[in-house]
Each structure stands twice: as structure tokens, then as C-alpha cells.
């Protein structure tokens, strides 16, 4: 997809990242994903729900969002889920828990009619111990309430059980989590390791346990083993840690171009009996701030990235593996390596994939906007969100920082007079203190839109405890970053969001030229460490000024991931080299690479990159190809010239610069192909997307302000579309289709003619 060279090992890395290893009977997990009964109601009482006839409810699949369904696409409020499960008798005597990876946004959970508890926060995991309520070998009933009323920001508040649900068991003693940090010390030539364990004893008596932690290198070989013992009282939770050092020369560092991962497996035993096994991947790297520079593994870097909204009109915010893989590899091909990716904790599988491909992320909790209701000093809810996020994501090499909020400001003043309120200022600082109590190894920031305003200063802008300054700008970017640096010198500045007006939904949509010009001028500002475009993808929204399609068109790809003309613009701007040119004669192809200067963005050392040269005949077919590893390129180097023999009389040549991750990051062709992005002025309706998912065919279609009713004709034969259905839903519609027969479809609106017939592939 979109200039990417997919590699098999990336998939194996993603699949292989597990948190718990099953080892005999020490711990077992049962997935509760699949069909659940569902009721949407804001009037039914809890008692009515617990005594309902669940067979009369609808069926929805978990993980999922109810607002991807036609019937509930605009429903806001409470959704109730019910499922019956059987717990095996072999689990008797074990601790049994139910875990939810995420439910949006406020939830309650009942088990066999008893309220287990509630949870607030739509993106972080929670669990309940149900050991004493289980009917072993018989049916048990789980009921979940999810409420998506709470909403912050311009992204869609997708409702429901959006991530995995599981039932798991373990012995009385378990490792709740293990956290490992491995920080290089380049002056001393060592790596400082610390492994911290959180141990829980559900038994009645004290237990002495042995911990054996084995670290495997990237080749899967046992690299070193550490032993540790601890006594833990009954009905108690305790933490313990070990520290040690290893020579720096013996390790492979994690880098966004070379994301080397290690694996730590800890076996827990008591009385020589194995009772628990936990496993985590991690990387050895150091991202730090030195003065006004961002430094990775002792190398100053300036890098770019993308905000990516966890959103798809087909999948909601459930983040299936295929979508994550395609999006993140695509962002890497566009020159993306670093960003505050979204205003909420990322999904676990997204982080694992970022670990494996080297995309660096600052994670954030959803505290957003002027008069943000949760921007309260020492707020227990936001502390909970930070704790749940940091404890879950501590070992991920791709997570390099934490952000405590976005665009927080005073609602009760005009824009030019705005600052943070005293309470908001205290909120940010109190959350920084909480982050430090949980993780001292990563950078801290918050995304500001007040730092550059006239009345901001150190008394109302909490930059002192931030490791770097993040600003969001949507116009006047150069002036705003200069003003921010003038007010708060000595710290690097990152554009956590940058944009200017919606790009537009059409395939010919372009970035604003003023935005591009100003982004190039950032090269002259050494304290600017990079930019993150808002956004990679269009996303569903009901925020103000959203088009009739319900899709905010800020992305370089649309909601269905079709690229726009802006896609190639940002790819050129973010490419790791300044320029790449090619020429072809009857004898040879000549490729010239112009490196970036030290002051440019991006700016970093290119190591282990390859250059591929494809020779193409008059029919557009590749008839010969050659790939070489090029010398390391340091910013400021002179041009590099490479020659390849034209052995087969090619008439066209394509050169590709390929990263160590086997991702194509820059291309050039000779002769240059001319592309024409014409505006579609046809009066025909247009189908943009068509895919079979679960039991439906999802159709994505173009919407204008004048469209209010859409009609579909579909069937198994393009010449005889025998079925017809109409809807007022805009942009996306599901057609039930569980058949394996061919599927053809047409669409028209009240304002357009019938589209061409399209076949489901």
C-alpha cells in the first residue's frame, strides 16, 4: 500500500509481543470477544437490565462500536452488553479475573447479578477479581454498561466495548506487571538497567517467591539471567526492584531506523513450583533534551511526524491489526518518525507495532480545550488515567514521552487575551509531578496554544517542568514559534499540531502553500526540533464546521485511506534527503542524492539505507532491477552520485531510497511522469470504498451539502441489481451480506445521478 515494501518479520514481531505466557496451568486466558447481546437505552433502569430477556436484544460484536452500525450511528448515551460464559472446573482454587482493555467512556460491570464496580476513562484497561462469584462448570452472566456521553475534542466519541475482553486465571501470587528500563550512559560506556516488579499475593499467608528474569537478544538467544527473591505477606501487594549495568558495546540500541528489541521473561516460583510467567519486549535507547536540542542515542536529531486519529468509518476506533499496520507503515514512508500521535492513550497493538518499526510516540490523556472540565489540580481521575496508561505502556520502546493535556486555556476571555487559569496552570504541574512519581525515564510535555499569546509568561504557562515545549498552530506558524522561544528560551520546541485550514476531501486536495513555505523557514530556527501535521487521516466528527459527510478533511489520506495530492507534498517535505534526481541514457542510469543540511528538518544520520534502481520498458514493465547499500549520510555531506548500467535498453528509470526497515522513503523517475489531479465534475454519485466486514458490506460514498437521501441498488449481477435500499445516513452505510456470491452495487442521491456499478473485490 502506497509505496511500501512489506516485510514478513514485522508481522511476526507484532504477533509475538505478548504480555502473559501460558505455562501449563500457571495462568490461562479465555477470550470473551465475539457476539454479545446489546441494548441501547437511556431510560431503562439497572434492575430492568439485570432481569431482562436478553434474547430480545440485538447482537453486536466485541470489540466494536455501536455507532458503526446503521441503527445506532448517531446514538449517544448508555449501551448495555450481555454475555453468558462457562468457567471450567479446572480453574477451581485459582484466582479468576475479568479484564477489559477499553470501554468508552464510563462503564459499569455486573457478574451474576452483582455489581463488580465502575470505571471512567475510555482508553485504558481495568479488571475485576471474580473468584468468589464464579459458578464453575455452569453458566455465568456478564452485563456491561458503556456510556459515551462524555466527549472532548473534535474526534468522534465512538461508544462501546472497543478493545478486547478476556477472562484469565492465575495462582494466589502473581506478577501484576514488570517494568524494565535500560538507559545508555555514553560517557561511562555502560547501560543502566532497572527491573521493577509489582507482586500481588491473594493468599492468606506470607509467601517467599523467586523471580528468574531472562533477557533474550534480537536473535532470540538468551543474553543474561537475573535472580531475585522476595517475601510478601498474605492479602498484600508489594513492589521490589533490581538494578545492574552492562557494557554499552554489548548491546544493540533501539532507534527509529533500527528498532532492535529485546525480550524479558520472568518466571515466578515458590517451593520450586512455577506459579507465573510474564514476558515483555523492550528497547535500549536514550531520548533526551540537551539545551535546545533533541538527542537520540547521543545524536542530535530533528524529526517530523503525524497526528493520527484512532478512527475509521468501518472499524470505529477498534484498531484492527491490518489498519494499524497499513497506517503506521504508510506514515513511516511519508517521513514520519515522531509525534504526539493522538489525544488519548493508544491501543496496545498500535504501540507494539510502533516498537517494531521505530515510530516514536508521546502519549497523552484526553484533557482537552478551553475550560477543560478535568483540568483540576491533583485531579484523581486524571491521575488514574496517567497511572493506567503509564503502568500499561512503560516497557514500550516507542513510547518516549508523556503529555498531560492539549490546548488548555481560559474560556472566559477573548483569544488574544487568553492564558491558562491559575487552576489549569496548577493542574499541569501537578500532573507532571504525578508522571515523575511513575516514570523518571521519559520526557514530559503538554500541547499548548497559549504559549505564544501576548499575555503568556512563566506565571501562567507551565513550561518550567516540561522537558520540551509543544505548540499547536493553524496559521502564523513562524511568528508564533519565534514568540514562544522569545518568551521561554532554552528549551526545544515541537509543533505537536500544525496545519492551515482543512485540506479538503477530494483527491486533488493540496496543503496550503503558506503552510509549506513557513515549514521550510523553520530550518533556520535551531530550537525547532520538528513538526507533526494535523493529520495523517480524515476522521469522523460532529464538531463545528465539519462537512456534511461527517468527515473532517484534515488528512493527507481520506477516512478510507485513499491518498490526496497533499500526500506527495508532505512526503517531499518530510523526506530524509533534500533531493534525489535521476537521468537515463542508452548506457546507464545516474542517480544523485542531495543530503539534508544540519539546519534542515528533518536532520539525522542515514545509516544502512539502500538505493534501488528499476529499469522500465516502453510498456511500463520493470525489466531489470538493482539494489545497493549506500554509504552513511551525515547532514551537511556533499552530493552522492551512483551509476547503474542500462543493460536491457530501458526507456524509463525509477530510483527508490529505502530505509533499514525496508520502507521506500523517497523516489524519483526519469523521464518525470506527469500526473493530473482533475476535479471530478461529474453529476454521478461516487462510491469511494467497498469492503466486506463481518456480516455486512460497508459502502463509503461522496456526500455534498445538497445530498439528503441516498439510494443503493445491489445484487449478484451487475446487469440486474435486484435489491434496493435507501438511507439518510451520510458517508457510510452497511448492507447486510453474509453470502459468498459476487456483490455489485450502485448509488445515487437526491442530488446526483446513478454511479457506475462497482464490484466487491
Amino acid at each position: 500500500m502506497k509505496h511500501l515494501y512489506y516485510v514478513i518479520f514485522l508481522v511476526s514481531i507484532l504477533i509475538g509481543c505478548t504480555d502473559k505466557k501460558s505455562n501449563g496451568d500457571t495462568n490461562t486466558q479465555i477470550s470473551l470477544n465475539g457476539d454479545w447481546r446489546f441494548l441501547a437505552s437511556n431510560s431503562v433502569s439497572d434492575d430492568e437490565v439485570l432481569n431482562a430477556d436478553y434474547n430480545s436484544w440485538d447482537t453486536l460484536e466485541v470489540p466494536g462500536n455501536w455507532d458503526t452500525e446503521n441503527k445506532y450511528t448517531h446514538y449517544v448515551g448508555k449501551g448495555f452488553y450481555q454475555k453468558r460464559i462457562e468457567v471450567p472446573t479446572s480453574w477451581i482454587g485459582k484466582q479468576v479475573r475479568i479484564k477489559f482493555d477499553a470501554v468508552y467512556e464510563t462503564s459499569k460491570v455486573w457478574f451474576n447479578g452483582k455489581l463488580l464496580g465502575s470505571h471512567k476513562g475510555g482508553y485504558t484497561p481495568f479488571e475485576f477479581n471474580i473468584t468468589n462469584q464464579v459458578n464453575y462448570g455452569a453458566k455465568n452472566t456478564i452485563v456491561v454498561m458503556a456510556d459515551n456521553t462524555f466527549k472532548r475534542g473534535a474526534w468522534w466519541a465512538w461508544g462501546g466495548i472497543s478493545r478486547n475482553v478476556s477472562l484469565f486465571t492465575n495462582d494466589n501470587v502473581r506478577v501484576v506487571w514488570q517494568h524494565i528500563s535500560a538507559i545508555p550512559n555514553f560517557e561511562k560506556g555502560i547501560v543502566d538497567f532497572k527491573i521493577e516488579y509489582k507482586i500481588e499475593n491473594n493468599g492468606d499467608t506470607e509467601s517467599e517467591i523467586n523471580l528468574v528474569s531472562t533477557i533474550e537478544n534480537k536473535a532470540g538467544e538468551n543474553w543474561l539471567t537475573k535472580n531475585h527473591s522476595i517475601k510478601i505477606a498474605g492479602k498484600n501487594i508489594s513492589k521490589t526492584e533490581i538494578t545492574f549495568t552492562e557494557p554499552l558495546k554489548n548491546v544493540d540500541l533501539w532507534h527509529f531506523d533500527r528498532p532492535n528489541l529485546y525480550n524479558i521473561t520472568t518466571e515466578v516460583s515458590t517451593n520450586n513450583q512455577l506459579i507465573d510467567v510474564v514476558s515483555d519486549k523492550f528497547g535500549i535507547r536514550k531520548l533526551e533534551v540537551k539545551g535546545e536540542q533533541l538527542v537520540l542515542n547521543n545524536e542530535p536529531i530533528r524529526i517530523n511526524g503525524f497526528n493520527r486519529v484512532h478512527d475509521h468509518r468501518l472499524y470505529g476506533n477498534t484498531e484492527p491489526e491490518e489498519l494499524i499496520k497499513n497506517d503506521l507503515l504508510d506514515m513511516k514512508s511519508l517521513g514520519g518518525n515522531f509525534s504526539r500521535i493522538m489525544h488519548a492513550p493508544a491501543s496496545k497493538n498500535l504501540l507494539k507495532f510502533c516498537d517494531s518499526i521505530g515510530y516514536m510516540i508521546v502519549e497523552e490523556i484526553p484533557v482537552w480545550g478551553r475550560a477543560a472540565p478535568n483540568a483540576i489540580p491533583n485531579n484523581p481521575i486524571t491521575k488514574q488515567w496517567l497511572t493506567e496508561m503509564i503502568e500499561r505502556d512503560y516497557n514500550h520502546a516507542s513510547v518516549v514521552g508523556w503529555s498531560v493535556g492539549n490546548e488548555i486555556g481560559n474560556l472566559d476571555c477573548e483569544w488574544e487575551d487568553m492564558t491558562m487559569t491559575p487552576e489549569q496552570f496548577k493542574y499541569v504541574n501537578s500532573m507532571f509531578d504525578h508522571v515523575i512519581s511513575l516514570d523518571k525515564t521519559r520526557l514530559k510535555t503538554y500541547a499548548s496554544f497559549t504559549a505564544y499569546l501576548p499575555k503568556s509568561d512563566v506565571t501562567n504557562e507551565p513550561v518550567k517542568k516540561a522537558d520540551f515545549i509543544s505548540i499547536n498552530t493553524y496559521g502564523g506558524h513562524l511568528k508564533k514559534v519565534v514568540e514562544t522561544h522569545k518568551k521561554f528560551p532554552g528549551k526545544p520546541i515541537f509543533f505537536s499540531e500544525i496545519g492551515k485550514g482543512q485540506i479538503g476531501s477530494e483527491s486533488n486536495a493540496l496543503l496550503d502553500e503558506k503552510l509549506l513555505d513557513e515549514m521550510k523557514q523553520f530550518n533556520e530556527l535551531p530550537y525547532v526540533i520538528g513538526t507533526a501535521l494535523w493529520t495523517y487521516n480524515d476522521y469522523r466528527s460532529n464538531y463545528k464546521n465539519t462537512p456534511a459527510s461527517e468527515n473532517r478533511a484534515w488528512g493527507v489520506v481520506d477516512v478510507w485511506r485513499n491518498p490526496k495530492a497533499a500526500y506527495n507534498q508532505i512526503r517531499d517535505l518530510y523526506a530524509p534527503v533534500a533531493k534525489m534526481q535521476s537521468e537515463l541514457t542508452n548506457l546507464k542510469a545516474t542517480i544523485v542524492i542531495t543530503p539534508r543540511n544540519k539546519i534542515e528538518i528533518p536532520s539525522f544520520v542515514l545509516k544502512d539505507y539502500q538505493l534501488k534502481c528499476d529499469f522500465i520498458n516502453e510498456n511500463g514493465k520493470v525489466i531489470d532491477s538493482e539494489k545497493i547499500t549506500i554509504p552513511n549520510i551525515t547532514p551537511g555531506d556533499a552530493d552522492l552520485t551512483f551509476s547503474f548500467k542500462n543493460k536491457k535498453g530501458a526507456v524509463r528509470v525509477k530510483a527508490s531510497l529505502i530505509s533499514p526497515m525496508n520502507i521506500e522513503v523517497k523516489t524519483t523517475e526519469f523521464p518525470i511522469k506527469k500526473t493530473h489531479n482533475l476535479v471530478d465534475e461529474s453529476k454521478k454519485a461516487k462510491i469511494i470504498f467497498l469492503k466486506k466486514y463481518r456480516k455486512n458490506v460497508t459502502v463509503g460514498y461522496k456526500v455534498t451539502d445538497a445530498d439528503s437521501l441516498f439510494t443503493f441498488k445491489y445484487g449478484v449481477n451487475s446487469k440486474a441489481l435486484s435489491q434496493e435500499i435507501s438511507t439518510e445516513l451520510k458517508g457510510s452505510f452497511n448492507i447486510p451480506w453474509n453470502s459468498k456470491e459476487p456483490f455489485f452495487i450502485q448509488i445515487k442521491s437526491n442530488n446526483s445521478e446513478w454511479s457506475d456499478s462497482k464490484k466487491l473485490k
Side-chain angles (χ1 to χ4, degrees), residues 662-678:
N662 211 25
I663 298 171
E664 187 181 89
V665 293
K666 181 74 174 176
T667 62
T668 179
E669 293 193 30
F670 184 87
I672 297 172
K673 276 186 178 180
K674 292 185 178 180
T675 57
H676 301 280
N677 291 297
L678 301 176

Side-chain angles (χ1 to χ4, degrees), residues 32 36-37 50 54 57 81-85 98 100 108-113 116 130 140-144 161 165-167:
L32 300 183
W36 288 56
R37 293 292 185 177
L50 295 176
Y54 301 119
W57 290 13
Y81 293 78
Q82 183 269 347
K83 191 177 185 69
R84 297 186 73 191
I85 64 167
I98 184 169
F100 297 84
K108 287 183 179 179
V109 182
W110 293 265
F111 187 78
N112 289 336
L116 297 177
I130 58 173
N140 298 266
T141 299
I142 305 169
V143 175
V144 179
I161 304 176
V165 186
S166 58
L167 203 67

Side-chain angles (χ1 to χ4, degrees), residues 71 119 137 200 465 593 623:
K71 187 175 180 180
H119 182 264
E200 180 178 12
K465 291 183 180 180
I593 297 175
I623 54 175

Side-chain angles (χ1 to χ4, degrees), residues 704-711 727 748-753:
T704 70
D705 290 339
D707 294 325
S708 59
L709 182 69
F710 305 87
T711 302
T727 183
K748 74 177 292 294
S749 77
N750 59 297
N751 189 52
S752 66
E753 300 170 0

Side-chain angles (χ1 to χ4, degrees), residues 157-414:
W158 296 99
I161 304 176
S162 55
R163 295 178 187 164
N164 294 330
V165 186
S166 58
L167 203 67
F168 68 95
T169 182
N170 51 264
D171 283 304
N172 284 340
V173 177
R174 66 164 179 159
V175 176
V176 181
W177 47 250
Q178 61 179 352
H179 289 165
I180 181 167
S181 60
I183 311 298
N185 185 319
F186 295 96
E187 290 73 26
K188 295 182 179 180
I190 60 173
V191 177
D192 292 308
F193 284 85
K194 182 171 81 169
I195 309 173
E196 186 177 12
Y197 310 89
K198 183 177 181 179
I199 313 293
E200 180 178 12
N201 183 1
N202 293 111
D204 295 322
T205 60
E206 182 181 75
S207 182
E208 182 173 357
I209 64 170
N210 297 310
L211 304 164
V212 180
S213 295
T214 301
I215 296 178
E216 297 175 342
N217 61 21
K218 63 180 181 180
E221 303 164 336
N222 286 357
W223 180 53
L224 57 86
T225 299
K226 296 293 177 181
N227 298 286
H228 186 55
S229 297
I230 181 178
K231 289 182 180 180
I232 179 170
K235 305 298 182 185
N236 197 16
I237 295 176
S238 181
K239 294 179 183 177
T240 186
E241 66 181 50
I242 59 173
T243 59
F244 54 96
T245 63
E246 290 293 324
L248 181 60
K249 64 182 180 180
N250 292 344
V251 306
D252 295 303
L253 298 180
W254 189 95
H255 184 279
F256 55 81
D257 268 345
R258 296 170 296 282
N260 298 307
L261 290 172
Y262 288 76
N263 191 76
I264 178 171
T265 299
T266 297
E267 295 184 338
V268 185
S269 60
T270 182
N271 298 322
N272 294 319
Q273 181 180 355
L274 184 66
I275 58 172
D276 200 6
V277 182
V278 291
S279 184
D280 292 277
K281 290 189 180 295
F282 70 97
I284 301 172
R285 51 109 181 94
K286 187 173 187 179
L287 185 70
E288 59 187 323
V289 166
K290 291 184 177 180
E292 295 179 347
Q293 290 184 316
L294 187 66
V295 179
L296 176 62
N297 297 338
N298 224 25
E299 177 200 342
I301 57 172
R302 303 177 85 186
I303 47 177
N304 297 309
F306 296 88
N307 293 271
R308 172 190 177 271
V309 182
H310 48 217
D311 183 283
H312 194 285
R313 292 297 292 264
L314 173 57
Y315 308 116
N317 71 348
T318 59
E319 301 282 63
E321 307 285 3
E322 177 188 9
L323 178 67
I324 285 172
K325 174 184 172 183
N326 288 340
D327 282 2
L328 268 296
L329 285 173
D330 200 31
M331 287 162 60
K332 287 281 287 187
S333 81
L334 293 172
N337 287 304
F338 172 68
S339 62
R340 186 284 319 261
I341 196 167
M342 181 54 190
H343 304 311
S347 67
K348 196 171 176 179
N349 52 343
L350 182 142
L351 296 179
K352 288 176 180 178
F353 198 65
C354 288
D355 291 344
S356 71
I357 65 167
Y359 192 96
M360 300 192 297
I361 287 176
V362 174
E363 281 201 276
E364 185 173 88
I365 56 172
V367 178
W368 183 93
R370 300 176 72 171
N374 282 309
I376 303 166
N378 293 304
N379 187 349
I381 287 294
T382 54
K383 282 187 173 182
Q384 170 201 313
W385 294 347
L386 284 166
T387 299
E388 290 170 343
M389 176 176 69
I390 293 173
E391 287 189 350
R392 185 196 66 169
D393 300 337
Y394 189 95
N395 296 319
H396 286 287
S398 59
V399 178
V400 296
W402 310 112
S403 173
V404 301
N406 178 75
E407 296 184 357
I408 302 170
N410 189 348
L411 183 63
D412 299 324
C413 58
E414 296 299 321

Side-chain angles (χ1 to χ4, degrees), residues 620-685:
K621 181 180 178 181
V622 176
I623 54 175
D624 196 14
S625 186
E626 189 175 348
K627 186 190 289 186
I628 61 169
T629 299
I630 63 176
N632 292 351
I633 299 176
T634 300
D637 282 353
D639 288 0
L640 291 85
T641 302
F642 304 91
S643 294
F644 300 87
K645 291 183 179 179
N646 186 1
K647 303 172 187 176
K648 299 184 178 180
V651 298
R652 181 179 293 277
V653 66
K654 176 187 174 184
S656 306
L657 183 65
I658 301 172
S659 79
M661 296 306 299
N662 211 25
I663 298 171
E664 187 181 89
V665 293
K666 181 74 174 176
T667 62
T668 179
E669 293 193 30
F670 184 87
I672 297 172
K673 276 186 178 180
K674 292 185 178 180
T675 57
H676 301 280
N677 291 297
L678 301 176
V679 177
D680 184 4
E681 297 181 351
S682 170
K683 292 184 178 180
K684 289 184 178 181

